[in-house]
Amino acid sequence: YPLFTIIVYFITSLGKHYLQNLSLSPAFLVNATSCLFGSIASGLVAATVYEISTNLRLEDEKDQPIVRQSSSIAAGLMCAFSPLLWQYNTSAEVFALHNLFV
């Protein structure tokens, strides 16, 4: 939790200083930070699936890039829109940062 607290403090301080005209609340900034962590984590899942599938052997070699791209996009979207991760990513919780590191 200390790293999350430090990052959130940094983000809210920057938000107070640079986003004065928008009048965003600190709670909004913390939730947006969690959403950012969750979206980066989902993108990394997609990139990992894409890299892992390099050794994929198909009967038709010309279908390999399509299968790699579609499977990586599907994995990233399933990670992003799963109910539990959606709940963690849209609220001010430390779990989104944990998912980013995992």
Side-chain angles (χ1 to χ4, degrees):
Y1 298 115
L3 181 62
F4 183 75
T5 305
I6 291 169
I7 292 172
V8 164
Y9 176 76
F10 182 70
I11 293 296
T12 54
S13 297
L14 286 176
K16 286 179 192 176
H17 188 265
Y18 291 110
L19 302 174
Q20 298 172 26
N21 298 337
L22 297 178
S23 67
L24 299 175
S25 69
F28 177 81
L29 293 173
V30 173
N31 286 332
T33 304
S34 290
C35 288
L36 179 68
F37 292 153
S39 61
I40 293 171
S42 298
L44 288 175
V45 166
T48 302
V49 169
Y50 185 79
E51 289 300 319
I52 287 175
S53 63
T54 56
N55 296 331
L56 184 66
R57 300 285 182 233
L58 299 173
E59 292 178 12
D60 193 6
E61 290 293 324
K62 67 180 179 179
D63 290 336
Q64 185 173 356
I66 297 169
V67 171
R68 286 180 68 195
Q69 291 171 355
S70 61
S71 63
S72 63
I73 290 171
L77 289 175
M78 283 191 289
C79 179
F81 293 111
S82 67
L84 188 61
L85 290 180
W86 183 270
Q87 179 183 358
Y88 291 155
N89 295 341
T90 56
S91 62
E93 292 286 340
V94 71
F95 301 119
L97 181 63
H98 174 74
N99 291 337
L100 176 62
F101 287 141
V102 170

Coordinates of all heavy atoms in Angstrom, one line a residue:
Y1 N 0.8 -1.2 0.0 CA 0.0 0.0 0.0 C 0.8 1.3 0.0 O 0.3 2.3 -0.5 CB -0.9 0.0 1.2 CG -1.9 -1.1 1.1 CD1 -1.9 -2.1 2.1 CD2 -2.9 -1.2 0.1 CE1 -2.8 -3.1 2.1 CE2 -3.8 -2.2 0.1 CZ -3.8 -3.2 1.1 OH -4.7 -4.2 1.1
P2 N 2.0 1.3 0.5 CA 2.8 2.5 0.5 C 3.1 3.1 -0.9 O 3.0 4.3 -1.1 CB 4.1 2.2 1.2 CG 3.8 1.0 2.0 CD 2.8 0.2 1.2
L3 N 3.4 2.3 -1.8 CA 3.6 2.7 -3.2 C 2.4 3.4 -3.8 O 2.4 4.4 -4.4 CB 4.2 1.6 -4.1 CG 4.5 2.0 -5.5 CD1 5.6 3.1 -5.5 CD2 4.9 0.8 -6.3
F4 N 1.3 2.7 -3.6 CA 0.0 3.3 -4.1 C -0.3 4.6 -3.4 O -0.7 5.6 -4.1 CB -1.1 2.3 -3.8 CG -2.5 2.7 -4.4 CD1 -2.7 2.7 -5.7 CD2 -3.4 3.2 -3.5 CE1 -3.9 3.1 -6.2 CE2 -4.7 3.6 -4.0 CZ -4.9 3.5 -5.3
T5 N -0.1 4.7 -2.2 CA -0.3 6.0 -1.4 C 0.6 7.1 -2.0 O 0.2 8.2 -2.2 CB -0.1 5.8 0.1 OG1 -0.9 4.7 0.5 CG2 -0.4 7.0 0.8
I6 N 1.9 6.8 -2.2 CA 2.8 7.8 -2.7 C 2.4 8.2 -4.1 O 2.4 9.4 -4.4 CB 4.2 7.2 -2.7 CG1 4.7 7.0 -1.3 CG2 5.2 8.1 -3.5 CD1 6.0 6.2 -1.1
I7 N 2.0 7.3 -5.0 CA 1.6 7.6 -6.3 C 0.4 8.5 -6.3 O 0.3 9.5 -7.0 CB 1.4 6.4 -7.2 CG1 2.8 5.7 -7.4 CG2 0.8 6.7 -8.5 CD1 2.7 4.3 -8.1
V8 N -0.6 8.1 -5.5 CA -1.9 8.8 -5.4 C -1.6 10.2 -4.9 O -2.2 11.2 -5.3 CB -2.9 8.0 -4.6 CG1 -4.0 8.9 -4.2 CG2 -3.4 6.8 -5.4
Y9 N -0.8 10.3 -3.9 CA -0.4 11.7 -3.3 C 0.2 12.5 -4.4 O -0.1 13.7 -4.6 CB 0.5 11.5 -2.1 CG 0.9 12.9 -1.6 CD1 0.1 13.6 -0.8 CD2 2.2 13.4 -1.9 CE1 0.5 14.9 -0.3 CE2 2.6 14.6 -1.4 CZ 1.7 15.3 -0.6 OH 2.1 16.6 -0.1
F10 N 1.1 12.0 -5.2 CA 1.8 12.7 -6.3 C 0.8 13.1 -7.3 O 0.8 14.3 -7.8 CB 2.9 11.8 -6.9 CG 3.6 12.4 -8.0 CD1 4.5 13.5 -7.7 CD2 3.5 12.0 -9.3 CE1 5.2 14.1 -8.7 CE2 4.2 12.6 -10.3 CZ 5.1 13.6 -10.0
I11 N -0.2 12.2 -7.7 CA -1.2 12.5 -8.7 C -2.1 13.6 -8.2 O -2.4 14.6 -9.0 CB -1.9 11.3 -9.2 CG1 -1.0 10.3 -9.9 CG2 -3.1 11.6 -10.0 CD1 -0.4 10.8 -11.2
T12 N -2.6 13.5 -7.0 CA -3.5 14.5 -6.5 C -2.8 15.9 -6.3 O -3.4 16.9 -6.5 CB -4.2 14.1 -5.2 OG1 -3.1 13.7 -4.2 CG2 -5.1 12.9 -5.4
S13 N -1.6 15.9 -6.0 CA -0.8 17.1 -5.9 C -0.7 17.8 -7.2 O -0.8 19.0 -7.3 CB 0.5 16.9 -5.2 OG 0.4 16.4 -3.9
L14 N -0.3 17.0 -8.2 CA -0.2 17.5 -9.6 C -1.6 18.0 -10.1 O -1.7 19.0 -10.8 CB 0.3 16.5 -10.5 CG 1.8 16.2 -10.4 CD1 2.2 15.1 -11.3 CD2 2.6 17.4 -10.7
G15 N -2.6 17.3 -9.7 CA -4.0 17.6 -10.1 C -4.4 19.0 -9.5 O -5.1 19.8 -10.2
K16 N -4.1 19.2 -8.3 CA -4.4 20.4 -7.6 C -3.7 21.6 -8.3 O -4.2 22.7 -8.4 CB -4.1 20.4 -6.1 CG -5.0 19.6 -5.3 CD -4.5 19.6 -3.9 CE -5.2 18.6 -3.0 NZ -4.7 18.5 -1.7
H17 N -2.4 21.4 -8.6 CA -1.6 22.4 -9.2 C -1.9 22.7 -10.6 O -2.0 23.9 -11.0 CB -0.1 22.1 -9.0 CG 0.8 23.2 -9.3 ND1 1.4 23.3 -10.6 CD2 1.2 24.2 -8.6 CE1 2.1 24.4 -10.6 NE2 2.1 24.9 -9.4
Y18 N -2.0 21.7 -11.5 CA -2.1 21.9 -12.9 C -3.5 21.9 -13.4 O -3.8 22.4 -14.5 CB -1.3 20.9 -13.7 CG 0.2 21.1 -13.5 CD1 1.0 20.2 -12.7 CD2 0.8 22.2 -14.0 CE1 2.3 20.4 -12.6 CE2 2.2 22.4 -13.9 CZ 2.9 21.5 -13.1 OH 4.3 21.7 -13.0
L19 N -4.4 21.3 -12.7 CA -5.8 21.2 -13.2 C -6.8 22.0 -12.4 O -7.9 21.5 -12.1 CB -6.2 19.7 -13.2 CG -5.3 18.8 -14.1 CD1 -5.8 17.3 -13.9 CD2 -5.4 19.2 -15.5
Q20 N -6.4 23.1 -11.9 CA -7.2 24.0 -11.1 C -8.5 24.4 -11.8 O -9.6 24.4 -11.2 CB -6.5 25.2 -10.7 CG -5.3 25.0 -9.8 CD -4.5 26.3 -9.6 OE1 -5.1 27.4 -9.7 NE2 -3.2 26.2 -9.4
N21 N -8.4 24.7 -13.1 CA -9.5 25.2 -13.9 C -10.6 24.2 -14.1 O -11.8 24.5 -14.3 CB -9.0 25.8 -15.2 CG -8.1 26.9 -15.0 OD1 -8.1 27.6 -14.0 ND2 -7.2 27.1 -16.0
L22 N -10.2 22.9 -14.0 CA -11.2 21.9 -14.3 C -12.0 21.5 -13.0 O -13.0 20.8 -13.1 CB -10.5 20.6 -14.8 CG -9.9 20.8 -16.2 CD1 -9.2 19.5 -16.6 CD2 -10.9 21.2 -17.2
S23 N -11.5 21.9 -11.9 CA -12.1 21.6 -10.6 C -12.4 20.1 -10.4 O -13.6 19.8 -10.1 CB -13.4 22.5 -10.3 OG -14.4 22.1 -11.2
L24 N -11.4 19.3 -10.6 CA -11.6 17.9 -10.4 C -11.3 17.5 -8.9 O -10.4 18.0 -8.3 CB -10.6 17.1 -11.3 CG -10.7 17.3 -12.8 CD1 -9.6 16.6 -13.5 CD2 -12.1 16.8 -13.3
S25 N -12.1 16.7 -8.4 CA -12.0 16.3 -7.0 C -10.8 15.3 -6.9 O -10.5 14.6 -7.8 CB -13.2 15.7 -6.5 OG -13.5 14.4 -7.1
P26 N -10.2 15.2 -5.7 CA -9.1 14.2 -5.5 C -9.7 12.8 -5.7 O -8.9 11.9 -6.2 CB -8.7 14.4 -4.1 CG -9.0 15.8 -3.8 CD -10.3 16.1 -4.6
A27 N -10.9 12.5 -5.3 CA -11.5 11.2 -5.5 C -11.5 10.8 -7.0 O -11.2 9.7 -7.4 CB -12.9 11.1 -4.9
F28 N -11.9 11.7 -7.9 CA -11.9 11.5 -9.3 C -10.5 11.2 -9.8 O -10.3 10.3 -10.6 CB -12.5 12.7 -10.0 CG -12.4 12.5 -11.5 CD1 -13.4 11.8 -12.2 CD2 -11.4 13.1 -12.3 CE1 -13.4 11.6 -13.5 CE2 -11.4 12.9 -13.6 CZ -12.3 12.2 -14.3
L29 N -9.5 11.9 -9.3 CA -8.1 11.7 -9.8 C -7.6 10.3 -9.3 O -6.9 9.6 -10.1 CB -7.2 12.8 -9.3 CG -7.5 14.2 -9.8 CD1 -6.6 15.2 -9.1 CD2 -7.2 14.2 -11.3
V30 N -8.0 9.9 -8.1 CA -7.5 8.6 -7.6 C -8.2 7.5 -8.4 O -7.6 6.5 -8.8 CB -7.8 8.4 -6.1 CG1 -7.6 7.0 -5.6 CG2 -7.0 9.4 -5.3
N31 N -9.5 7.6 -8.7 CA -10.2 6.6 -9.5 C -9.6 6.6 -11.0 O -9.5 5.5 -11.6 CB -11.7 6.9 -9.6 CG -12.4 6.6 -8.3 OD1 -11.9 5.7 -7.6 ND2 -13.4 7.3 -8.0
A32 N -9.3 7.7 -11.5 CA -8.7 7.8 -12.9 C -7.3 7.1 -12.9 O -7.0 6.4 -13.8 CB -8.6 9.2 -13.4
T33 N -6.6 7.3 -11.8 CA -5.3 6.6 -11.7 C -5.5 5.1 -11.6 O -4.7 4.4 -12.3 CB -4.6 7.1 -10.4 OG1 -4.5 8.5 -10.5 CG2 -3.2 6.5 -10.3
S34 N -6.4 4.6 -10.9 CA -6.7 3.2 -10.9 C -7.1 2.7 -12.2 O -6.7 1.6 -12.7 CB -7.8 2.8 -9.8 OG -7.3 3.0 -8.5
C35 N -7.9 3.4 -12.9 CA -8.3 3.0 -14.3 C -7.1 3.0 -15.2 O -7.0 2.1 -16.1 CB -9.4 4.0 -14.9 SG -11.0 3.9 -14.1
L36 N -6.2 3.9 -15.1 CA -5.0 3.9 -15.9 C -4.1 2.7 -15.6 O -3.7 2.0 -16.5 CB -4.2 5.2 -15.6 CG -2.9 5.3 -16.4 CD1 -3.1 5.5 -17.9 CD2 -2.1 6.5 -15.8
F37 N -4.0 2.4 -14.3 CA -3.2 1.2 -14.0 C -3.9 -0.1 -14.6 O -3.2 -1.0 -15.1 CB -3.1 1.0 -12.5 CG -2.3 2.0 -11.8 CD1 -2.5 2.4 -10.5 CD2 -1.2 2.7 -12.4 CE1 -1.7 3.3 -9.8 CE2 -0.5 3.6 -11.8 CZ -0.7 4.0 -10.5
G38 N -5.2 -0.2 -14.5 CA -5.9 -1.3 -15.0 C -5.8 -1.5 -16.5 O -5.6 -2.6 -17.0
S39 N -5.9 -0.3 -17.2 CA -5.8 -0.4 -18.7 C -4.4 -0.8 -19.1 O -4.2 -1.5 -20.1 CB -6.3 0.9 -19.3 OG -5.4 2.0 -18.8
I40 N -3.4 -0.3 -18.4 CA -2.0 -0.7 -18.8 C -1.8 -2.2 -18.5 O -1.2 -2.9 -19.3 CB -1.0 0.2 -18.0 CG1 -1.1 1.6 -18.5 CG2 0.4 -0.4 -18.2 CD1 -0.2 2.6 -17.6
A41 N -2.4 -2.7 -17.4 CA -2.2 -4.1 -17.1 C -2.9 -4.9 -18.2 O -2.4 -6.0 -18.6 CB -2.9 -4.4 -15.7
S42 N -4.1 -4.5 -18.7 CA -4.8 -5.3 -19.7 C -4.0 -5.2 -21.0 O -3.9 -6.2 -21.7 CB -6.2 -4.7 -19.9 OG -6.9 -4.8 -18.8
G43 N -3.4 -4.1 -21.3 CA -2.5 -4.0 -22.5 C -1.3 -4.9 -22.4 O -0.9 -5.5 -23.4
L44 N -0.7 -5.0 -21.2 CA 0.4 -5.9 -21.0 C 0.0 -7.3 -21.1 O 0.8 -8.2 -21.6 CB 1.1 -5.6 -19.7 CG 1.9 -4.3 -19.6 CD1 2.4 -4.0 -18.2 CD2 3.0 -4.3 -20.6
V45 N -1.2 -7.7 -20.7 CA -1.6 -9.1 -20.9 C -1.7 -9.4 -22.4 O -1.3 -10.4 -22.8 CB -3.0 -9.3 -20.2 CG1 -3.7 -10.6 -20.7 CG2 -2.8 -9.3 -18.7
A46 N -2.3 -8.5 -23.2 CA -2.4 -8.7 -24.6 C -1.0 -8.8 -25.2 O -0.8 -9.6 -26.1 CB -3.2 -7.5 -25.2
A47 N -0.1 -7.9 -24.8 CA 1.3 -8.0 -25.4 C 2.0 -9.3 -25.0 O 2.7 -9.9 -25.8 CB 2.1 -6.8 -24.9
T48 N 1.7 -9.8 -23.8 CA 2.4 -11.0 -23.3 C 1.8 -12.2 -24.1 O 2.6 -13.1 -24.6 CB 2.1 -11.2 -21.8 OG1 2.6 -10.1 -21.1 CG2 2.7 -12.5 -21.3
V49 N 0.5 -12.2 -24.4 CA -0.1 -13.3 -25.2 C 0.5 -13.3 -26.6 O 0.8 -14.3 -27.2 CB -1.6 -13.3 -25.1 CG1 -2.2 -14.2 -26.2 CG2 -2.1 -13.6 -23.7
Y50 N 0.6 -12.1 -27.1 CA 1.2 -12.0 -28.5 C 2.6 -12.5 -28.6 O 3.0 -13.2 -29.5 CB 1.1 -10.5 -28.9 CG 1.5 -10.3 -30.3 CD1 0.7 -10.5 -31.4 CD2 2.8 -9.8 -30.7 CE1 1.0 -10.3 -32.7 CE2 3.2 -9.6 -32.0 CZ 2.3 -9.9 -33.0 OH 2.7 -9.7 -34.3
E51 N 3.4 -12.2 -27.6 CA 4.8 -12.7 -27.6 C 4.9 -14.2 -27.3 O 5.8 -14.8 -27.9 CB 5.6 -11.9 -26.6 CG 5.9 -10.5 -27.0 CD 6.7 -10.3 -28.3 OE1 7.6 -11.1 -28.5 OE2 6.3 -9.5 -29.1
I52 N 4.0 -14.7 -26.4 CA 4.1 -16.1 -26.1 C 3.7 -16.9 -27.3 O 4.2 -18.1 -27.5 CB 3.2 -16.4 -24.9 CG1 3.9 -15.9 -23.6 CG2 2.9 -17.9 -24.8 CD1 3.1 -16.0 -22.4
S53 N 2.8 -16.4 -28.1 CA 2.3 -17.2 -29.3 C 3.2 -17.1 -30.5 O 2.8 -17.5 -31.6 CB 0.9 -16.7 -29.7 OG 0.9 -15.3 -30.1
T54 N 4.4 -16.7 -30.3 CA 5.4 -16.7 -31.5 C 5.7 -18.1 -31.9 O 6.0 -18.4 -33.1 CB 6.7 -16.0 -31.1 OG1 7.2 -16.6 -30.0 CG2 6.4 -14.5 -30.9
N55 N 5.7 -19.1 -31.0 CA 6.0 -20.5 -31.4 C 4.8 -21.3 -31.8 O 4.9 -22.5 -31.9 CB 6.7 -21.2 -30.1 CG 8.0 -20.5 -29.8 OD1 8.7 -20.0 -30.6 ND2 8.3 -20.5 -28.5
L56 N 3.7 -20.6 -32.1 CA 2.5 -21.3 -32.5 C 2.7 -21.9 -33.9 O 3.2 -21.2 -34.9 CB 1.4 -20.2 -32.6 CG 0.0 -20.7 -32.9 CD1 -0.5 -21.7 -31.8 CD2 -0.9 -19.6 -33.1
R57 N 2.4 -23.1 -34.1 CA 2.6 -23.8 -35.3 C 1.2 -24.2 -35.9 O 0.4 -24.9 -35.3 CB 3.3 -25.1 -35.2 CG 4.7 -24.9 -34.7 CD 5.6 -24.4 -35.8 NE 7.0 -24.2 -35.3 CZ 7.7 -23.1 -35.3 NH1 7.1 -22.1 -35.8 NH2 8.9 -23.1 -34.8
L58 N 0.8 -23.6 -37.0 CA -0.4 -23.9 -37.7 C -0.2 -24.6 -39.0 O 0.9 -24.5 -39.6 CB -1.2 -22.5 -37.9 CG -1.5 -21.7 -36.7 CD1 -2.1 -20.4 -37.2 CD2 -2.5 -22.5 -35.9
E59 N -1.2 -25.3 -39.5 CA -1.1 -25.9 -40.7 C -0.9 -25.0 -41.9 O -0.1 -25.2 -42.8 CB -2.3 -26.8 -41.0 CG -2.5 -28.0 -40.1 CD -3.7 -28.8 -40.3 OE1 -4.4 -28.5 -41.4 OE2 -4.1 -29.6 -39.5
D60 N -1.6 -23.9 -41.8 CA -1.5 -22.8 -42.8 C -0.7 -21.7 -42.2 O -1.2 -21.0 -41.3 CB -2.9 -22.4 -43.3 CG -2.8 -21.5 -44.5 OD1 -1.7 -21.4 -45.1 OD2 -3.9 -21.0 -44.9
E61 N 0.5 -21.5 -42.7 CA 1.4 -20.5 -42.1 C 0.9 -19.0 -42.3 O 1.3 -18.1 -41.5 CB 2.8 -20.6 -42.7 CG 3.6 -21.9 -42.2 CD 3.9 -21.8 -40.7 OE1 4.2 -20.7 -40.2 OE2 3.8 -22.9 -40.1
K62 N 0.1 -18.8 -43.3 CA -0.3 -17.4 -43.6 C -1.4 -17.0 -42.6 O -1.6 -15.8 -42.4 CB -0.9 -17.3 -45.0 CG -2.1 -18.0 -45.2 CD -2.6 -17.8 -46.7 CE -3.9 -18.6 -46.9 NZ -4.3 -18.4 -48.2
D63 N -2.0 -17.9 -41.8 CA -3.0 -17.6 -40.8 C -2.3 -17.2 -39.5 O -3.0 -16.8 -38.5 CB -4.0 -18.7 -40.6 CG -4.9 -18.8 -41.8 OD1 -5.1 -17.8 -42.5 OD2 -5.5 -19.9 -42.0
Q64 N -1.0 -17.5 -39.3 CA -0.4 -17.3 -38.0 C -0.5 -15.8 -37.5 O -0.8 -15.7 -36.3 CB 1.1 -17.7 -38.1 CG 1.7 -17.7 -36.7 CD 3.1 -18.3 -36.8 OE1 3.5 -18.8 -37.8 NE2 3.8 -18.2 -35.7
P65 N -0.2 -14.8 -38.3 CA -0.3 -13.4 -37.7 C -1.7 -13.1 -37.3 O -1.9 -12.4 -36.3 CB 0.1 -12.5 -38.9 CG 0.9 -13.4 -39.8 CD 0.4 -14.8 -39.6
I66 N -2.7 -13.6 -38.1 CA -4.1 -13.3 -37.7 C -4.5 -13.9 -36.4 O -5.1 -13.3 -35.6 CB -5.0 -13.7 -38.9 CG1 -4.7 -12.9 -40.1 CG2 -6.5 -13.6 -38.5 CD1 -5.4 -13.4 -41.4
V67 N -4.1 -15.2 -36.2 CA -4.4 -15.9 -35.0 C -3.7 -15.2 -33.8 O -4.3 -15.1 -32.7 CB -4.0 -17.4 -35.1 CG1 -4.1 -18.1 -33.8 CG2 -4.9 -18.1 -36.2
R68 N -2.4 -14.8 -34.0 CA -1.7 -14.2 -32.9 C -2.4 -12.9 -32.5 O -2.5 -12.6 -31.3 CB -0.2 -13.9 -33.3 CG 0.6 -15.1 -33.4 CD 2.0 -14.7 -33.8 NE 2.7 -13.9 -32.8 CZ 3.8 -13.2 -32.9 NH1 4.3 -13.2 -34.1 NH2 4.3 -12.6 -32.0
Q69 N -2.7 -12.1 -33.5 CA -3.3 -10.8 -33.2 C -4.7 -10.9 -32.5 O -5.0 -10.3 -31.5 CB -3.4 -9.9 -34.4 CG -2.1 -9.5 -34.9 CD -2.2 -8.8 -36.3 OE1 -3.2 -8.8 -36.9 NE2 -1.1 -8.3 -36.8
S70 N -5.5 -11.8 -33.1 CA -6.9 -12.0 -32.5 C -6.9 -12.6 -31.2 O -7.6 -12.2 -30.3 CB -7.7 -12.8 -33.5 OG -7.2 -14.1 -33.7
S71 N -6.0 -13.5 -30.9 CA -5.9 -14.1 -29.6 C -5.4 -13.1 -28.5 O -5.8 -13.1 -27.4 CB -5.0 -15.4 -29.6 OG -3.7 -15.1 -29.9
S72 N -4.4 -12.3 -28.9 CA -3.9 -11.3 -28.0 C -4.9 -10.2 -27.7 O -5.1 -9.8 -26.5 CB -2.6 -10.7 -28.5 OG -2.8 -10.0 -29.7
I73 N -5.7 -9.8 -28.7 CA -6.7 -8.8 -28.5 C -7.8 -9.4 -27.6 O -8.3 -8.7 -26.7 CB -7.3 -8.3 -29.8 CG1 -6.2 -7.4 -30.5 CG2 -8.6 -7.5 -29.6 CD1 -6.6 -7.1 -31.9
A74 N -8.2 -10.6 -27.9 CA -9.2 -11.3 -27.0 C -8.8 -11.4 -25.6 O -9.6 -11.2 -24.7 CB -9.6 -12.7 -27.6
A75 N -7.5 -11.8 -25.4 CA -7.0 -11.9 -24.0 C -7.0 -10.6 -23.3 O -7.4 -10.5 -22.1 CB -5.7 -12.5 -24.0
G76 N -6.6 -9.5 -23.9 CA -6.6 -8.2 -23.3 C -8.0 -7.7 -23.0 O -8.2 -7.1 -21.9
L77 N -9.0 -8.0 -23.9 CA -10.3 -7.5 -23.7 C -11.0 -8.3 -22.6 O -11.7 -7.8 -21.7 CB -11.2 -7.6 -25.0 CG -10.8 -6.6 -26.0 CD1 -11.6 -6.9 -27.3 CD2 -11.1 -5.2 -25.5
M78 N -10.7 -9.7 -22.5 CA -11.3 -10.5 -21.4 C -10.7 -10.0 -20.1 O -11.4 -10.0 -19.1 CB -11.0 -11.9 -21.7 CG -11.9 -12.6 -22.7 SD -11.8 -14.3 -22.8 CE -10.2 -14.6 -23.5
C79 N -9.4 -9.7 -20.1 CA -8.9 -9.2 -18.8 C -9.5 -7.8 -18.4 O -9.8 -7.6 -17.3 CB -7.3 -9.1 -19.0 SG -6.5 -8.4 -17.5
A80 N -9.7 -7.0 -19.4 CA -10.2 -5.6 -19.1 C -11.6 -5.6 -18.6 O -12.0 -4.9 -17.8 CB -10.0 -4.7 -20.3
F81 N -12.4 -6.5 -19.2 CA -13.9 -6.5 -19.0 C -14.3 -7.6 -18.1 O -15.6 -7.8 -17.9 CB -14.6 -6.5 -20.3 CG -14.4 -5.2 -21.1 CD1 -13.7 -5.3 -22.3 CD2 -14.9 -4.0 -20.6 CE1 -13.6 -4.1 -23.0 CE2 -14.7 -2.9 -21.3 CZ -14.1 -2.9 -22.5
S82 N -13.4 -8.4 -17.4 CA -13.9 -9.3 -16.5 C -14.5 -8.6 -15.3 O -14.0 -7.5 -14.9 CB -12.7 -10.3 -16.0 OG -11.8 -9.5 -15.3
P83 N -15.6 -9.1 -14.7 CA -16.3 -8.4 -13.6 C -15.4 -8.0 -12.4 O -15.5 -6.9 -11.9 CB -17.4 -9.3 -13.2 CG -17.6 -10.2 -14.4 CD -16.3 -10.4 -15.0
L84 N -14.6 -8.9 -12.0 CA -13.8 -8.6 -10.8 C -12.7 -7.5 -11.1 O -12.6 -6.6 -10.3 CB -13.1 -9.9 -10.3 CG -12.4 -9.7 -8.9 CD1 -13.4 -9.3 -7.8 CD2 -11.7 -11.0 -8.6
L85 N -12.0 -7.7 -12.2 CA -11.0 -6.6 -12.5 C -11.7 -5.3 -12.9 O -11.1 -4.3 -12.6 CB -10.1 -7.1 -13.7 CG -9.2 -8.3 -13.3 CD1 -8.4 -8.7 -14.5 CD2 -8.3 -7.9 -12.2
W86 N -12.9 -5.3 -13.5 CA -13.6 -4.1 -13.8 C -13.9 -3.4 -12.5 O -13.7 -2.2 -12.4 CB -14.9 -4.4 -14.5 CG -15.6 -3.2 -14.9 CD1 -16.6 -2.6 -14.2 CD2 -15.4 -2.4 -16.1 NE1 -17.0 -1.5 -14.9 CE2 -16.3 -1.3 -16.1 CE3 -14.6 -2.5 -17.2 CZ2 -16.4 -0.4 -17.1 CZ3 -14.7 -1.6 -18.2 CH2 -15.6 -0.6 -18.1
Q87 N -14.3 -4.1 -11.5 CA -14.6 -3.5 -10.2 C -13.4 -2.9 -9.5 O -13.4 -1.8 -9.0 CB -15.2 -4.6 -9.2 CG -15.6 -4.0 -7.9 CD -16.1 -5.1 -7.0 OE1 -16.3 -6.3 -7.4 NE2 -16.4 -4.8 -5.7
Y88 N -12.3 -3.6 -9.6 CA -11.0 -3.1 -9.0 C -10.5 -1.9 -9.8 O -9.9 -1.0 -9.2 CB -10.0 -4.2 -9.0 CG -10.2 -5.3 -8.0 CD1 -9.7 -6.5 -8.2 CD2 -11.0 -5.1 -6.9 CE1 -9.9 -7.6 -7.4 CE2 -11.3 -6.2 -6.0 CZ -10.7 -7.4 -6.3 OH -10.9 -8.4 -5.4
N89 N -10.7 -1.9 -11.1 CA -10.1 -0.8 -11.9 C -10.9 0.5 -11.9 O -10.4 1.5 -12.2 CB -9.9 -1.3 -13.3 CG -8.9 -2.4 -13.5 OD1 -8.1 -2.6 -12.6 ND2 -9.0 -3.1 -14.6
T90 N -12.2 0.4 -11.5 CA -13.0 1.6 -11.5 C -13.2 2.1 -10.1 O -14.1 3.1 -10.0 CB -14.4 1.3 -12.2 OG1 -15.0 0.2 -11.5 CG2 -14.3 0.9 -13.6
S91 N -12.6 1.6 -9.2 CA -12.6 2.2 -7.8 C -11.2 2.5 -7.3 O -10.3 1.9 -7.8 CB -13.4 1.3 -6.9 OG -12.7 0.0 -6.8
A92 N -11.1 3.3 -6.3 CA -9.8 3.6 -5.7 C -9.3 2.5 -4.9 O -9.4 2.5 -3.6 CB -10.0 4.9 -4.9
E93 N -8.8 1.5 -5.5 CA -8.2 0.3 -4.8 C -6.8 0.1 -5.2 O -6.4 0.5 -6.3 CB -9.0 -0.9 -5.1 CG -10.4 -0.9 -4.5 CD -10.4 -1.1 -3.0 OE1 -9.4 -1.6 -2.5 OE2 -11.4 -0.8 -2.4
V94 N -6.0 -0.6 -4.4 CA -4.6 -0.9 -4.7 C -4.5 -2.1 -5.6 O -3.5 -2.3 -6.2 CB -3.9 -1.1 -3.4 CG1 -4.3 -2.4 -2.7 CG2 -2.4 -1.0 -3.6
F95 N -5.6 -2.8 -5.8 CA -5.6 -4.0 -6.6 C -5.2 -3.7 -8.1 O -4.6 -4.6 -8.8 CB -6.9 -4.8 -6.5 CG -7.2 -5.1 -5.1 CD1 -8.4 -4.7 -4.6 CD2 -6.4 -6.0 -4.4 CE1 -8.7 -5.0 -3.3 CE2 -6.7 -6.3 -3.1 CZ -7.9 -5.8 -2.5
A96 N -5.6 -2.6 -8.6 CA -5.2 -2.3 -10.0 C -3.7 -2.1 -10.2 O -3.2 -2.6 -11.2 CB -5.9 -1.0 -10.5
L97 N -3.1 -1.5 -9.2 CA -1.6 -1.4 -9.3 C -1.0 -2.8 -9.1 O 0.0 -3.1 -9.8 CB -1.1 -0.5 -8.2 CG 0.4 -0.2 -8.1 CD1 0.9 0.4 -9.4 CD2 0.7 0.6 -6.9
H98 N -1.6 -3.6 -8.3 CA -1.0 -5.0 -8.1 C -1.2 -5.8 -9.4 O -0.2 -6.5 -9.8 CB -1.8 -5.7 -7.0 CG -1.5 -7.1 -6.9 ND1 -0.3 -7.5 -6.3 CD2 -2.1 -8.3 -7.2 CE1 -0.2 -8.9 -6.3 NE2 -1.4 -9.3 -6.9
N99 N -2.3 -5.6 -10.1 CA -2.5 -6.3 -11.4 C -1.5 -5.8 -12.4 O -1.0 -6.6 -13.3 CB -3.9 -6.1 -11.9 CG -4.9 -6.8 -11.1 OD1 -4.6 -7.8 -10.4 ND2 -6.1 -6.3 -11.1
L100 N -1.1 -4.6 -12.3 CA -0.1 -4.0 -13.3 C 1.3 -4.7 -13.0 O 2.0 -5.0 -13.9 CB 0.0 -2.5 -13.1 CG 1.1 -1.8 -13.9 CD1 0.8 -2.0 -15.4 CD2 1.2 -0.4 -13.5
F101 N 1.6 -4.9 -11.8 CA 2.9 -5.5 -11.5 C 2.9 -7.0 -11.7 O 4.0 -7.6 -11.9 CB 3.3 -5.2 -10.0 CG 3.7 -3.8 -9.8 CD1 3.3 -3.1 -8.7 CD2 4.5 -3.1 -10.7 CE1 3.7 -1.8 -8.5 CE2 4.8 -1.8 -10.6 CZ 4.5 -1.2 -9.4
V102 N 1.8 -7.7 -11.6 CA 1.7 -9.1 -11.8 C 1.8 -9.4 -13.3 O 2.5 -10.2 -13.8 CB 0.4 -9.7 -11.2 CG1 0.2 -11.1 -11.6 CG2 0.5 -9.6 -9.7

